Amino acid sequence: MTTVTLTDLEKRYPNGHQAISKLNLSIEQGEMVVLVGPSGCGKSTLLRMIAGLETITQGDLLIDNLRVNEHEPSERDIAMVFQNYALYPHMSVYNNMAYGLRNRKTPKTQIEELVTNAANMLEISHLLDRKPKELSGGQRQRVAMGRAIVRKPKVFLFDEPLSNLDAKLRVQMRLEIKKLQRKLSTTSIYVTHDQVEAMTLADKLVVLNQGNIEQVGTPLEIYESP
Ligand code: ADP
Ligand code: ADP
């Protein structure tokens, strides 16, 4: 049961810029929270702080009631899916997906099982021997998803994962991400600037503005309130 709790969280960059101010947010087990808001409002900063890629200036970040403020990214049991896929270009799809598991000294037979299952789920089993450059954008995004799910992390973080895809593929992948997230029931935080994507995916929408939460609610409450 994985919850994520942010308490009075703050980020001030070394140049003095306050990107996140006293932010409070609670994310329930299995919930998908979508962060929206204008460019520069702090979406990436917040996601990167949760991932452990940015330091926390003040406040607390709890994952399952454990304060992880100073934990390394690898100690947080979180998987992040990026816009630019961030695949290793010289490695096969199989090895891209296996990489994180090998680092954790997962036994080889178990790696094979986890990668095979994830590849089936994402319908990329026929691509395991290819290199990223031999894949389409949508296929690369599936591999990036596969790499995230094989580790069975407690939390998924998505940083505009579909924004490099064409419109048709974006719609398709959006539905697949929703299905996968429901199926795995992994607590998720998803950043997007696409309103339709936000409405389709969110259990809870968080509207950020200048480092503060402006609104929180279901898509219906936020977009269709009178
Ligand atoms: P968003 O993802 O919503 O577009 P960001 O989190 O990238 O917003 O940025 C939030 C604010 O922090 C912006 O004003 C941005 O210019 C600033 N910012 C981002 N990264 C840095 C940095 N490394 N140093 C200083 N300011 C930064
Ligand atoms: P490289 O050629 O870059 O060394 P490979 O793709 O040949 O990488 O794979 C390296 C290891 O990954 C192999 O030893 C094998 O155990 C495993 N592997 C690769 N592809 C598969 C696959 N389709 N099914 C199961 N294991 C695989």
Side-chain angles (χ1 to χ4, degrees), residues 18-68:
Q18 182 93 21
I20 296 291
S21 314
K22 292 245 178 223
L23 192 143
N24 289 285
L25 179 66
S26 198
I27 303 163
E28 309 300 325
Q29 156 62 32
E31 193 173 37
M32 185 164 225
V33 165
V34 177
L35 292 179
V36 293
S39 177
C41 70
K43 302 183 294 295
S44 301
T45 300
L46 187 56
L47 209 62
R48 291 169 57 80
M49 284 163 87
I50 297 169
L53 303 171
E54 290 288 353
T55 57
I56 292 170
T57 309
Q58 252 183 70
D60 285 327
L61 168 60
L62 306 184
I63 297 176
D64 286 340
N65 297 320
L66 179 72
R67 187 175 184 273
V68 299

Side-chain angles (χ1 to χ4, degrees), residues 90-92 94-95 102 108 112 116 128-129 131:
H90 59 286
M91 287 185 198
S92 64
Y94 182 94
N95 285 335
R102 290 200 182 114
K108 189 173 162 154
E112 284 186 6
T116 307
L128 287 174
D129 295 328
K131 298 275 165 68

